[in-house]
Amino acid sequence: MQRFTGHVGTVEVGIVEYDGSNRLWTWWSPLAEAAWGHGQDAEGAQRGFEAWLRGWLENFRPFFEHA
């Protein structure tokens, strides 16, 4: 099974892996239960994950601006 993991420092933020039963690339994140999606190829799944991650991190902007 092909699998790629994304890290920020030592924290695992995302996984992209091939789902052979559906013939799609699936992305998901251990940061949120509802964070998952599919792509036709690994690059598409990675782009989907990156778009989700940018939006998710935006929720924390006020915290970091006032820290």
Side-chain angles (χ1 to χ4, degrees):
M1 174 186 299
Q2 291 185 305
R3 180 180 181 146
F4 305 96
T5 58
H7 292 84
V8 174
T10 59
V11 177
E12 185 176 83
V13 296
I15 295 94
V16 172
E17 60 189 355
Y18 186 69
D19 178 357
S21 63
N22 291 313
R23 297 184 183 160
L24 293 170
W25 285 84
T26 301
W27 66 265
W28 59 277
S29 176
L31 301 175
E33 273 187 37
W36 63 273
H38 299 289
Q40 294 295 320
D41 55 29
E43 292 79 18
Q46 181 181 350
R47 286 191 303 273
F49 167 71
E50 289 171 351
W52 172 83
L53 183 61
R54 279 191 299 276
W56 187 79
L57 288 172
E58 190 62 32
N59 295 314
F60 298 97
R61 183 180 296 275
F63 172 77
F64 291 113
E65 288 176 347
H66 298 288

